[in-house]
Amino acid sequence: MCGIVATIGSRQAAPLLMQGLQRLEYRGYDSAGIATTSNNQLHCRKVEGKLIRLREQLDRSPVAGTCGIGHTRWATHGKPDALNAHPHLDSADEVAVVQNGIIENHRLLRQQLQQEGVCFRSQTDTEVVPHLVARALGQLQGEVAEADLLRLAVTRAIDQLEGAYALAVIWAGLPQELVVVRHQAPLLIGLGEGQFFCASDTPALAEVASTILSLDNGEMARLTPLGVELFDPSGQRTQRTPQPLCGAEHVADKRQFRHFMLKEIHEQADVATAWVERCLYGPPTDHLSPVLDDVGHVQLLACGTSRHAALVGAHLLEQLADIPTTVHYASEFRYAPPPLAAKTLTIAVTQSGETADTLAALTIELERRRSREGLGEPLQLLGITNRPHSSLGRLVPQIIDIAAGLETGVAATKSFLGQMLALYSIALRLASQRHSGVSASEQLIACREGLEQLPEQLSALLQTMDQQCATLAHEFAETQDVIYLGRGINYPIALEGALKLKEISYIHAEGYPAGEMKHGPIALVDQYVPVVSIATPGRVFEKVLSNAQEAKARDARLIGIGPECADTEIFDVLLPIPPVHELISPLLTVIPMQLLAYHVAAHRGLDVDQPRNLAKSVTVE
Ligand code: M6R
């Protein structure tokens, strides 16, 4: 949540900051700002709204300076307006701070500072920081060497902070220096030619930095035009070798598509092709052996769309591999973890690898498990992510990289497919361990064969479904509520369809297990509430059709997702998918769900890639 960037070197900071912010806009986009230092003065510009407005303001009123910080905000404390936008300044307009995260004890600090006579200009938690830094600078000036002054002032300020945050700080008194610190919110240093950077995420560093350093928790860095100095949490100088940053893969490009989301939906055939080559035909992934060898129970931790992928995975693990599996909302698990059980494999599923709730849940599990290592229990933890170099990657040694490529649209699409496929890999592997040799179960064989066909089927489906959903979207333009039904392995797809529609079109939608309708939600059904029903051949096909009939009998307009056959003639509109094995079907039924949500939102003229109130990476609790 919120993107921060900073730069120092020989080039003008403002254009570099704007370029970095543009690539971080997916993290938040309700307000933005930058500040630079030059000639012992601070120059700050901030606006309510998207970056385009900041750009317009900078065109009218440019800022000079080769050192600067920038921020694109997702509001937590204080409504999204120019006053609450970052950077925040001290009373003398000399210290500027950008922050990503939450300062939890900000109220107490604010009261203390107010008692000392400080006047606050915003309602944010962040504003306490520039005041604390300014106070510390006043105390330290003349006491410590100039090269240590800003760093020690920031250290003194953060000693008083509680919460999870990443900060970048500049001071007019030392216009050729910037200090950054990471405390449980991501922060990377980028090293370019004569120019140094800091950012919340790699896309902001693409094309400007050739190598990166990821700060660890508690680490601080002092950046000057001459280079970067790292300090560990105790303030001692430390060193690490920077890692190469492959630029191209971090640059977002819409290609010929109108929105990133549409492009990313269409990239799913490529995600599947790469997965089939890697996982069905590639060499075995030996690095996972220690965690997957003796599994008695699986628990999956995730949020949002990633949790829906986890639900599909749970169905596979139970039905294909016979392994009891539980899926937890990470936000709930962190405060109520279930009792520990032996041989439990814990899998965190997160596209960004930065979701605060998922990381916190995993950290709790890691600590609980470590305490049992002495009893001879191996640490069975695994992460599934699209960002292997994220915080998740540093927390868990065993990672499955879904390799879906940069996902820019806030609504997750291709990463969802990638996450499901990663869980198919795990389920297939655990199932083969159980049904090895000649006894390989029929389901397992059918599943493998089905997966081999997936790339071709996806590619054809994406071509035909796009137009069908665009046509159908017109009908939804004025709709207030939609019900999504699915059963078995397609129940999570009903949840995902409803989530996609809510997120980007702002239409109320609910996903239900189809058999649950008659226990209450059917009261909502009438001619104004369309019902989208996933009806794919398999164990519950007839049941799903009966549930759909029940809605039709109450005048609902029925939209079906399933193969073209006599049974699916009951639907008013059918979005046809190929007749595949039941266990493969979610990989195809999700396509009309995504395309329908996309076209409804686009038809309503909404900002599909940056829907209101949302952000791509939810790095606050
Ligand atoms: O990065 P993560 O997968 O951990 O993110 C989890 C959710 O915040 C995310 O899936 C969210 O629900 C998306 N906006 C869904 O489109």
Side-chain angles (χ1 to χ4, degrees), residues 418-454:
Q419 290 168 338
M420 286 196 288
L421 287 171
L423 288 157
Y424 274 83
S425 307
I426 296 172
L428 287 175
R429 178 164 171 165
L430 294 179
S432 331
Q433 283 169 12
R434 298 214 163 189
H435 318 281
S436 56
V438 280
S439 72
S441 83
E442 265 176 44
Q443 283 213 112
L444 185 56
I445 295 167
C447 215
R448 270 185 198 286
E449 286 172 1
L451 287 164
E452 284 171 9
Q453 312 299 318
L454 182 69

Side-chain angles (χ1 to χ4, degrees), residues 302-307 349-355 358 410-413 415 419 496 499-500 503 614-618:
C303 305
T305 287
S306 299
R307 185 175 157 277
V349 188
T350 162
Q351 186 285 132
S352 62
E354 300 293 352
T355 298
T358 308
V410 165
T413 51
S415 65
Q419 290 168 338
E496 179 59 7
L499 178 64
K500 287 286 92 85
E503 281 190 297
L614 299 181
K616 185 77 183 155
S617 253
V618 185

Side-chain angles (χ1 to χ4, degrees), residues 166-393:
L167 296 170
V169 185
I170 53 174
W171 177 41
L174 282 175
Q176 288 302 296
E177 179 165 335
L178 80 90
V179 169
V180 300
V181 61
R182 174 197 163 120
H183 185 73
Q184 291 172 21
L187 204 56
L188 301 154
I189 305 286
L191 300 102
E193 289 201 2
Q195 197 75 31
F196 304 97
F197 299 85
C198 152
S200 306
D201 201 357
T202 48
L205 303 173
E207 291 177 347
V208 289
S210 47
T211 52
I212 54 167
L213 277 169
S214 176
L215 289 188
D216 285 335
N217 272 330
E219 277 188 337
M220 190 175 274
R222 173 176 177 260
L223 286 75
T224 70
L226 300 178
V228 177
E229 293 167 3
L230 283 189
F231 297 86
D232 70 16
S234 67
Q236 297 304 306
R237 279 286 298 274
T238 177
Q239 283 196 323
R240 254 200 322 282
T241 313
Q243 303 297 311
L245 172 72
C246 171
E249 70 186 71
H250 296 288
V251 177
D253 173 11
K254 267 189 231 162
R255 306 211 320 263
Q256 78 276 23
F257 294 94
R258 197 172 146 207
H259 293 104
F260 280 111
M261 182 182 176
L262 188 59
K263 181 194 83 152
E264 287 156 7
I265 290 172
H266 279 271
E267 283 172 347
Q268 291 178 106
D270 298 336
V271 173
T273 305
W275 179 85
V276 167
E277 279 164 14
R278 206 172 54 238
C279 298
L280 292 186
Y281 303 134
T285 44
D286 292 334
H287 74 287
L288 297 180
S289 289
V291 287
L292 294 183
D293 273 354
D294 189 12
V295 177
H297 170 237
V298 177
Q299 58 183 8
L300 291 143
L301 311 176
C303 305
T305 287
S306 299
R307 185 175 157 277
H308 299 157
L311 288 168
V312 171
H315 188 98
L316 289 169
L317 285 161
E318 294 199 329
Q319 303 305 318
L320 199 59
D322 253 340
I323 299 179
T325 304
T326 36
V327 177
H328 298 271
Y329 286 104
S331 54
E332 292 295 318
F333 183 97
R334 61 187 292 190
Y335 295 110
L340 284 171
K343 295 188 183 176
T344 298
L345 166 64
T346 302
I347 308 178
V349 188
T350 162
Q351 186 285 132
S352 62
E354 300 293 352
T355 298
D357 286 321
T358 308
L359 294 178
L362 191 63
T363 306
I364 285 166
E365 194 57 12
L366 193 63
E367 283 161 9
R368 296 203 304 168
R369 296 280 158 194
R370 281 219 172 108
S371 67
R372 308 240 313 193
E373 262 184 318
L375 306 175
E377 285 182 20
L379 205 56
Q380 290 176 293
L381 293 176
L382 191 60
I384 295 179
T385 185
N386 200 24
R387 309 299 298 276
H389 301 297
S390 60
S391 301
L392 179 85

Side-chain angles (χ1 to χ4, degrees), residues 84-147:
N84 288 327
H86 299 217
H88 290 284
L89 312 184
D90 69 321
S91 308
D93 288 351
E94 290 186 346
V95 175
V97 172
V98 288
Q99 193 246 143
N100 168 32
I102 292 183
I103 313 294
E104 285 174 357
N105 59 337
H106 71 102
R107 275 190 206 88
L108 182 66
L109 294 169
R110 180 183 274 252
Q111 278 166 9
Q112 289 169 355
L113 286 159
Q114 280 169 333
Q115 278 160 14
E116 291 170 21
V118 171
C119 288
F120 279 76
R121 297 180 243 202
S122 76
Q123 290 109 43
T124 64
D125 53 334
T126 305
E127 198 186 336
V128 296
V129 184
H131 296 301
L132 290 173
V133 174
R135 183 170 74 182
L137 280 167
Q139 294 161 346
L140 289 166
Q141 251 164 334
E143 302 287 319
V144 299
E146 192 177 79

Side-chain angles (χ1 to χ4, degrees), residues 507-525:
I507 293 174
H508 173 243
E510 295 297 338
Y512 286 106
E516 194 60 20
M517 274 291 281
K518 56 188 175 295
H519 298 291
I522 201 162
L524 297 171
V525 171

